[in-house]
Amino acid sequence: MALKTKPFDIAEHLNTPEDIRLFLQEVASTGDESDFIHALNTAARAMGMTEVAKKAGVSRASLYKSLSEDGNPQFSTISKVTKALGCKLAIA
């Protein structure tokens, strides 16, 4: 009998604003720019893309495109999404 597995999706485990904040902090401190954009995508999926897009003042389709693997979001988009996720960008 073959073992059945499913892909791990961390978005399924980001259940609270604190989970999202800690996740983004970790990626920001250990990853590069593309890792952080991917993390924003994951966090937005965890919270709900429609809700994040609405809070960020962008369309849902635009948010998906900006945060996709091939996306190249402007800093203003990254800032708006970060705020919509209940976080803020900071220099330490």
Side-chain angles (χ1 to χ4, degrees):
M1 184 165 145
L3 180 64
K4 291 185 179 183
T5 62
K6 73 176 203 173
F8 177 77
D9 184 2
I10 195 161
E12 296 174 5
H13 302 278
L14 299 175
N15 300 315
T16 67
E18 179 73 3
D19 292 342
I20 290 171
R21 186 182 62 78
L22 291 172
F23 173 65
L24 292 176
Q25 279 181 331
E26 180 64 25
V27 173
S29 67
T30 61
D32 62 16
E33 297 84 5
S34 64
D35 293 332
F36 188 72
I37 293 167
H38 180 73
L40 285 176
N41 179 305
T42 302
R45 286 187 300 108
M47 182 179 275
M49 275 293 188
T50 302
E51 180 181 345
V52 173
K54 188 176 183 178
K55 287 182 177 181
V58 298
S59 73
R60 185 173 161 269
S62 173
L63 184 59
Y64 269 112
K65 184 177 178 181
S66 292
L67 300 180
S68 73
E69 190 173 315
D70 298 325
N72 187 17
Q74 294 183 355
F75 181 77
S76 61
T77 301
I78 292 171
S79 179
K80 288 176 186 178
V81 171
T82 302
K83 287 178 186 174
L85 291 167
C87 301
K88 64 180 178 177
L89 297 173
I91 308 287

